[in-house]
Amino acid sequence: MSIEIFSKCAFTKLAFSYLANVSYVNAPISVIDIEHGIDTILLDRVINDEKREFVIILNNRNHSPLLIANKVIVVSKRSSTKDIKKLIFTTSIFKEIKGDEVLLSPSEKILFNDWLQGVSIKTIAKNMAITHKTANNMRNGIYRKYGIKDSFTFLLIVEISRMVNTAHSEHRKILYA
């Protein structure tokens, strides 16, 4: 099979072309580099393509790899080639990836689901009858549980969740062997 690469970065194209040739790629995998912006139409088309078993999204932020809906893997471009090669090998051969489920408290689930609907933190706080600061602290708690540090990556997770119509319980932090 093959690795389909969507990237404006020549290095990313070259690196994944190399990985496709040296790895045992048995499953159709797409790689989308969002360093230069998110094309939501392309993202939605590739994520919902039944022929693609896995979609790897490269993000320029530093965070733990995340698996969403057992299909989409959000990986930092700062991850080592060894770790990315391991991900590709694992997805190709075993057709699954192990990881720790991201468990949210009931209040965090409400916040996350409201974010899925596009509601602002200020409005969420008002609707939950909590302070804006408490809502921000809950959001930061969600960041910690996902192993992320920035709103861009969190909003990317929310957008992907919207595209695959999944609940937060189908998100996993990937464990490397």
Side-chain angles (χ1 to χ4, degrees):
M1 292 289 172
S2 67
I3 297 178
E4 184 179 28
I5 306 163
F6 299 95
S7 178
K8 293 180 182 177
C9 175
F11 178 75
T12 298
K13 288 180 185 178
L14 183 65
F16 277 92
S17 296
Y18 170 76
L19 287 174
N21 291 327
V22 297
S23 297
Y24 303 101
V25 180
N26 295 328
I29 298 171
S30 292
V31 176
I32 302 173
D33 182 355
I34 60 167
E35 178 180 1
H36 301 288
I38 301 174
D39 180 346
T40 54
I41 295 169
L42 169 69
L43 203 57
D44 189 37
R45 182 178 57 82
V46 172
I47 287 172
N48 290 303
D49 181 354
E50 296 295 323
K51 296 175 191 157
R52 295 283 142 196
E53 289 192 27
F54 287 97
V55 178
I56 297 173
I57 298 177
L58 297 173
N59 152 350
N60 207 24
R61 307 301 203 273
N62 195 15
H63 58 83
S64 305
L66 298 164
L67 178 65
I68 301 171
N70 293 320
K71 180 175 183 175
V72 181
I73 305 165
V74 181
V75 181
S76 172
K77 282 185 86 169
R78 298 174 187 176
S79 297
S80 71
T81 306
K82 177 183 169 187
D83 287 341
I84 291 174
K85 186 176 178 181
K86 215 185 279 186
L87 275 175
I88 292 171
F89 178 78
T90 304
T91 57
S92 295
I93 302 300
F94 300 109
K95 309 279 193 269
E96 70 176 340
I97 296 177
K98 301 288 183 208
D100 288 337
E101 185 174 351
V102 177
L103 299 172
L104 302 179
S105 71
S107 296
E108 289 170 333
K109 288 177 185 178
I110 292 168
L111 187 135
F112 185 88
N113 288 329
D114 284 351
W115 266 73
L116 278 175
Q117 303 304 317
V119 180
S120 72
I121 287 286
K122 187 175 181 178
T123 304
I124 293 169
K126 187 176 178 180
N127 293 344
M128 292 177 69
I130 58 175
T131 67
H132 187 265
K133 185 175 179 177
T134 301
N136 278 329
N137 288 339
M138 286 173 52
R139 184 194 61 209
N140 291 336
I142 293 170
Y143 285 5
R144 269 190 305 284
K145 289 179 180 183
Y146 275 96
I148 60 176
K149 297 177 182 159
D150 62 286
S151 59
F152 178 83
T153 304
F154 182 68
L155 292 173
L156 177 63
I157 293 165
V158 168
E159 185 62 29
I160 293 167
S161 297
R162 224 184 266 145
M163 288 176 184
V164 295
N165 197 22
T166 184
H168 62 275
S169 62
E170 294 182 47
H171 299 178
R172 298 187 177 278
K173 283 173 63 173
I174 297 173
L175 308 173
Y176 289 116

